[in-house]
Structures are given as structure tokens and as C-alpha cells.
Amino acid sequence: MHILVTGAAGFLGSHLCDRLLAEGHTVIGLDNFLTGSPENIAHLSNNPRFSFIHHDVSQFISLHKKLDAVLHFASPASPNPHSPRGYPNLPIETLKASSLGTFNTLGLARANNARYMFASTSEVYGDPREQPPAESDWGHVTPIGPRSMYDEAKRFGEATVMAYHRVHGMDTRIVRIFNTYGPRMSLDDGRVIPNLIQQALRGEPLTIYGDGSQTRSFCYVDDLIEGIYRLLFSEEHLPVNLGNDREISILEIAHLINKLTGNRAGFVFRPEDRLGNDPQRRRPDLTRARTLLGWQPTIDLETGLRRTIEFFRQQLSLR
Ligand code: NAD
Ligand code: UDP
């Protein structure tokens, strides 16, 4: 297949390109390097089945190549206000990427009669009232809160995808991605795993927002990509949660990172430093993914963290 991946120079987009190329597809990557990096796709520069377009998805995409699939992954993805590249610092870009960018990529897919996938997020559930949220959960979200530029952009993106599916009969997919980590996350991304690993490798205390009792469930990137690949080749049009359902508190993961890196500097608690609306718990209900795709995460947290620590060790040694 000939596949367009937007957000190709990002963490997930670059792994997705690798997987699609490994399966024999031809891939066109599109990115404007807003939060991604040319380094993430540098290894693909000599691959005859890979080409790249430097473009902003919120602008009309003029591409005169036959496409069989369009995968829309371009969007800032970090909620950390202290990262210059987190979505609170890029609110208008974040809104445009999943609104105008979704119209543009859907239009392109429609013109090619191509299948389409939208990268949505667990954030569409906001701070859900039922735990863990299944895809039937409507969410508990504020349209004007500090995360709203992201939550509402992704909710709008999902609504747009379903409208094109219903009106034009397009062959669409929606993946609701839960916290995913691994090599190629940006060092200045601001999300918890790159932040804490980086601090640990520098021998600094790890910054914990609040008391660290809030939970997340972390999926290693290879597991997520496997689920995305299966979803792309499934017939499922309604949203599917993908992630890992092992729930762990932020304090526990901080302990684990200190143990795996041999860091003895402990923690520093920063109640005042965090953006509001930090969900207290997050864990996916993976029933639909397991049933529909025969998929489940297989890489345990310690193994995934070791690989990620190794990646960040190399990155820091290059700086
Ligand atoms: P990332 O920041 O590494 O990648 C996003 C990529 O999109 C970057 O390369 C960036 O330059 C590009 N981009 C942003 N705006 C663009 C625009 N207007 N035009 C062209 N390119 C643009 O983040 P990621 O973690 O790889 O996230 C990829 C997608 O997955 C995003 O849509 C994000 O919302 C979604 N997602 C990720 C996670 C996660 O845990 N990693 C969780 C939920 C959803
Ligand atoms: N967090 C933290 N220290 C950091 C970065 C994040 O304690 O240096 C916490 C944050 O408050 C949140 C959790 O870790 O409760 C996950 O944050 P992240 O930014 O990775 O993503 P989120 O799941 O909030 O979208």
C-alpha cells in the first residue's frame, strides 16, 4: 500500500513509519517539526520506499500521488506547560492540527478513496467518572479548562471522522491512545517518563507533581504500534482504546526509574508546578482491543523502561 503518515517525525509517527516500511508498504511522511525532529526519520533517508514532505497539516495538502491509506498523527502531544513544545504553549496549533488538519487529511483520503486513521487520545475521557473507561464512556471534560485545547481538538477530530464515515461512507478508524513511552520521545518533551529518566541519569532528584499518588498505565511503543497496525487492517470504524492496563502510581514509577538507573538523589515534590486538571487515575479498558484485534500488550514496564533509559543515556551523551 501507499500510505501517508502525518506527524512522521514525531515519537509515534516515526515508529509507525518503520513498521509500515518493514511490512513492505511505501510511506510518505509529512511533518512541520513543530514538536518532532528530523533525527527521528534520519535513518529512513536512503530508503527508496520512504519520502518526506515538510508541511503543516492545518494548511491544504496538495499531493498528486495515489494513496491507499492516510494516518493522521500530527499534533502536539505533551501536557506539560514547562515544556516549550507542550500543547499549553501551542494551544492554537493544537486546536488546528486536529480540526483543520483532520478536514485536510480526510479530504485527501476521500479524493484517493483511501482508508483513514485518526490518532485520538485517552484525554477525550477527561477525568472519567467510571474507571477504567470503555469506549462507550462519553467523557467528563471541560471545554474551557487548561487541557481543553487538546481534549476538545481530539473530540472534534473524532466527530469529524465519524461525520465523513457516515456521510461519505469513508473507511475510517479511530485509535484512542493511552500513555505510551519509548525511544525517540523528545528529551524536552515534558512528559513524565522522559522527564524522570533524564533527571535520574543526571543524578538529580525526580520532580513529582502533587504527592505522586495519581496513577497512569504506561504502554511500550512497540506494543502500541502492533495494535495500531492490526486496527488499520481490521474492519472496525468505532473508537478502540489502545494502551497498557497495568496501573501504577507516579511515585512508584519514580522509585522504579531510580532503581533501574542507580540514582540515589530521591524526589522533590512540586505541588504548585503542575497544570490543572491532572487526572487522578488513568487506565484503559482494553476489552474491545483484545476481542476485535486479538491484541494485548506484551512488554512489561521494567523491560520497556530499560530500553528507554538506554536511548536517553545515548541522547544525553551526544549533547
Ligand atoms: P510527538 O510530539 O512526538 O509527535 C507529533 C508530531 O506531529 C511531531 O513530529 C510534530 O512535529 C508533528 N506536528 C504537530 N503539528 C503539526 C502540524 N500542524 N503539521 C505537521 N506536523 C505537525 O508526539 P507523539 O507522542 O508521537 O504523538 C503522536 C500522536 O499520537 C498525536 O496525535 C498525539 O495526540 C497522539 N497521542 C500520543 C500519546 C502518547 O502517549 N504518546 C497518547 C495519546 C495520543
Ligand atoms: N508528572 C510528574 N513529574 C514530571 C512530569 C509529570 O510527576 O516531571 C506527573 C503529572 O503530574 C501526571 C503524570 O506524571 O500526573 C503523567 O504526566 P504526563 O505529562 O506524562 O502525561 P498525562 O498523562 O498527564 O497526559
Side-chain angles (χ1 to χ4, degrees):
M1 289 188 10
H2 290 80
I3 304 178
L4 177 76
V5 177
T6 76
F11 161 51
L12 295 182
S14 64
H15 284 280
L16 191 51
C17 290
D18 286 352
R19 175 63 188 270
L20 295 169
L21 290 164
E23 298 284 347
H25 303 289
T26 297
V27 177
I28 304 172
L30 183 151
D31 207 293
N32 66 350
F33 301 124
L34 182 64
T35 57
S37 157
E39 270 175 48
N40 287 338
I41 46 171
H43 62 289
L44 300 178
S45 61
N46 292 325
N47 188 322
R49 282 186 288 107
F50 182 76
S51 56
F52 181 76
I53 305 169
H54 189 173
H55 185 76
D56 178 343
V57 271
S58 64
Q59 306 288 329
F60 183 79
I61 307 166
S62 174
L63 186 63
H64 302 289
K65 283 191 181 157
K66 177 76 187 111
L67 295 171
D68 303 299
V70 174
L71 313 186
H72 182 29
F73 278 67
S75 166
S78 166
N80 194 319
H82 304 290
S83 150
R85 305 199 291 180
Y87 55 71
N89 294 311
L90 301 168
I92 296 169
E93 291 86 342
T94 301
L95 286 159
K96 283 186 176 176
S98 292
S99 55
L100 300 175
T102 304
F103 278 116
N104 289 332
T105 49
L106 276 165
L108 185 64
R110 186 170 173 234
N112 280 277
N113 202 16
R115 71 181 68 179
Y116 183 88
M117 182 183 280
F118 178 65
S120 187
T121 168
S122 54
E123 294 271 340
V124 298
Y125 299 116
D127 207 352
R129 291 179 175 154
E130 301 284 328
Q131 286 286 354
E135 291 82 346
S136 53
D137 191 302
W138 290 5
H140 181 217
V141 180
T142 161
I144 55 165
R147 288 179 181 236
S148 61
M149 71 294 279
Y150 187 60
D151 303 351
E152 295 294 14
K154 291 291 187 179
R155 289 169 69 95
F156 181 91
E158 288 198 12
T160 313
V161 172
M162 289 311 294
Y164 274 64
H165 170 67
R166 290 180 179 129
V167 174
H168 298 303
M170 278 183 63
D171 188 10
T172 56
R173 318 274 182 287
I174 296 172
V175 52
R176 289 188 180 151
I177 303 168
F178 283 67
N179 298 68
T180 300
Y181 71 101
R184 298 196 198 143
M185 290 184 99
S186 163
L187 271 173
D188 55 8
D189 179 297
R191 282 178 274 187
V192 66
I193 290 192
N195 260 17
L196 300 192
I197 291 181
Q198 190 170 178
Q199 289 168 334
L201 290 174
R202 292 196 165 113
E204 297 167 2
L206 311 192
T207 316
I208 311 284
Y209 298 127
D211 63 4
S213 64
Q214 69 273 35
T215 68
R216 293 294 185 269
S217 309
F218 294 100
C219 183
Y220 187 69
V221 60
D222 291 1
D223 278 334
L224 184 87
I225 297 294
E226 176 65 30
I228 287 173
Y229 195 77
R230 290 190 192 199
L231 179 61
L232 181 64
F233 290 97
S234 78
E235 296 302 316
E236 185 54 42
H237 300 300
L238 293 173
V240 178
N241 289 342
L242 288 182
N244 191 307
D245 50 7
R246 173 182 168 191
E247 191 174 0
I248 182 170
S249 76
I250 296 303
L251 197 54
E252 277 176 275
I253 195 157
H255 272 290
L256 187 54
I257 288 172
N258 271 347
K259 188 180 111 192
L260 295 175
T261 53
N263 183 31
R264 291 161 182 265
F267 313 109
V268 51
F269 292 88
R270 289 275 174 76
E272 78 285 3
D273 255 359
R274 179 65 179 170
L275 176 69
N277 287 24
D278 195 344
Q280 188 56 31
R281 290 187 65 187
R282 185 177 294 140
R283 180 166 89 91
D285 180 327
L286 297 177
T287 311
R288 266 169 65 73
R290 287 196 168 97
T291 317
L292 293 168
L293 311 176
W295 168 91
Q296 60 175 15
T298 58
I299 297 163
D300 66 74
L301 188 58
E302 289 75 4
T303 306
L305 281 177
R306 280 203 175 86
R307 293 182 195 171
T308 311
I309 289 167
E310 203 38 54
F311 170 79
F312 282 120
R313 206 189 293 280
Q314 285 169 16
Q315 291 285 301
L316 288 172
S317 73
L318 294 174
R319 281 204 165 181

